[in-house]
Amino acid sequence: MTLPRPTHRLATVLAVALLLTACGADDEPAEKSADTTAAAAGDTEVDVAADTATETGAALDAFPVTVDTASGEVTLPERPERIISLSPSATEILFAIGAGDQVIAADTYSNFPEGAPSTDLSGYDPNVEAIVGYEPDLVVAANDTNELVGSLSALDIPVIINPAPADVESGYDGMAALGLATGHVDEAASAIGEMRAAMDEGLAAAPQDSGIRIYHELDDTFFSASSHSYIGSVYAAMGASNIADEADTDQTGYPQLTEEAIIAADPELIVIPSQLSYTPEDVAARPGWADVSAVKSGNIIVVESDISSRWGPRLPQLVEFVAGALTDIAVPAGR
């Protein structure tokens, strides 16, 4: 289970490489690929890459490619065939964009989708020697822990840092970047398009501009997800009022609140992840919480941790779930 952590804003795709050579390469597929990517991804910087590719006759899925990541530019000389994913989110994305067959090993928390090659590798405490033992030609991780990038780069093993995004659009950028890096540009664009449609449908089902006060609790020390996190950006898109925003002065996305501040903010909906060791009943029983609106109305819901804490193709399920809860509050049963 991976909790979202304060991270940098997700990097975006900036460049595509390699002109088609004159040995029979066809410009038409490149233009088709670029158009498809731009239309489905709806991403400005991918659009720039696509336009550049069209103008130059470059193929978006040709190698080498250069991807701008959170840790700097990464050049892939050829399509990676031995990918290690040290991030459950990245693992889900890689499989969703058609690169699953190229993933030879994944971290111990990569439990989805079925068939993901989970190992005892750790993304929190990566062991370079163990990683190198798999002879990877690309490593994808959420964070540059233990100087992972420097250590593997010294061995000519490219590393893409794909952190939890700050918002939904940044998440799409990260998916597009992995599509480019793995030779699955069109599949990534398709996956993004499907995800956009599902997200739009879920958001449309939520009450509009309800201003319902929401508190997304990450643990019992009251870390929360503000509107500067991708989870919070989803709540904001639903028109909810996030009580964690005032405390997030540094815009980390995951501020720590005080119990007194939570009670004073009087959330109408409390969301807790399923991996926690306590229940909604435990939350409701906390001293001083009895008068909190969400407690009085029984609006404390549990979301599947693997869905709420991972940016990826299953995020629309969180949107649908929370939209239903917000609707229940905005339009109580019997009205």
Side-chain angles (χ1 to χ4, degrees):
M1 164 63 244
T2 303
L3 281 176
R5 295 179 167 184
T7 58
H8 324 287
R9 188 179 188 282
L10 188 65
T12 55
V13 180
L14 291 178
V16 181
L18 196 60
L19 296 174
L20 291 176
T21 61
C23 55
D26 186 353
D27 286 350
E28 184 60 27
E31 292 189 2
K32 181 179 179 181
S33 174
D35 293 343
T36 303
T37 303
D43 177 81
T44 303
E45 296 198 59
V46 172
D47 282 346
V48 173
D51 291 344
T52 303
T54 301
E55 291 171 0
T56 60
L60 282 174
D61 56 351
F63 285 83
V65 298
T66 298
V67 181
D68 191 18
T69 78
S71 58
E73 287 189 349
V74 176
T75 297
L76 285 301
E78 54 190 18
R79 193 180 101 145
E81 302 294 345
R82 297 184 60 80
I83 301 171
I84 288 180
S85 171
L86 298 178
S87 157
S89 296
T91 302
E92 292 197 22
I93 293 171
L94 288 167
F95 275 79
I97 64 175
D101 289 344
Q102 296 157 249
V103 179
I104 59 165
D107 73 293
T108 190
Y109 293 111
S110 288
N111 56 3
F112 189 89
E114 185 177 355
S118 177
T119 68
D120 59 358
L121 292 174
S122 171
Y124 289 130
D125 186 22
N127 182 315
V128 171
E129 183 177 359
I131 293 169
V132 172
Y134 284 91
E135 300 182 358
D137 53 11
L138 173 64
V139 173
V140 182
N143 299 288
D144 184 14
T145 307
N146 294 353
E147 299 183 346
L148 180 69
V149 174
S151 299
L152 292 179
S153 297
L155 299 172
D156 293 328
I157 299 173
V159 182
I160 290 180
I161 298 300
N162 192 280
D167 52 43
V168 174
E169 289 301 322
S170 297
Y172 294 140
D173 291 345
M175 290 180 69
L178 288 180
L180 179 64
T182 60
H184 293 277
V185 172
D186 289 345
E187 294 95 328
S190 178
I192 292 170
E194 292 175 4
M195 193 171 167
R196 279 186 184 280
M199 291 286 287
D200 290 346
E201 183 178 352
L203 292 173
Q208 303 300 307
D209 300 321
S210 65
I212 293 172
R213 298 182 300 279
I214 191 168
Y215 167 52
H216 186 114
E217 182 169 290
L218 295 174
D219 61 24
D220 59 3
T221 63
F222 311 118
F223 275 96
S224 181
S226 79
S227 296
H228 296 290
S229 65
Y230 73 85
I231 300 172
S233 72
V234 168
Y235 297 150
M238 294 180 180
S241 176
N242 195 321
I243 72 162
D245 286 352
E246 185 174 339
D248 195 10
T249 54
D250 294 331
Q251 301 185 2
T252 63
Y254 303 99
Q256 184 177 27
L257 281 61
T258 65
E259 197 166 13
E260 293 75 15
I262 296 168
I263 294 171
D266 190 27
E268 298 167 279
L269 177 64
I270 297 175
V271 182
I272 62 174
S274 63
Q275 100 282 2
L276 297 178
S277 60
Y278 51 90
T279 66
E281 290 74 21
D282 296 325
V283 174
R286 289 171 177 165
W289 286 57
D291 290 331
V292 172
S293 293
V295 174
K296 290 193 294 185
S297 59
N299 287 315
I300 306 174
I301 62 174
V302 179
V303 296
E304 173 59 46
S305 297
D306 288 351
I307 294 174
S308 65
S309 66
R310 297 178 185 177
W311 163 266
R314 293 193 288 168
L315 188 59
Q317 296 180 37
L318 173 67
V319 174
E320 181 180 5
F321 183 69
V322 176
L326 291 173
T327 300
D328 289 343
I329 296 173
V331 187
R335 288 192 180 178

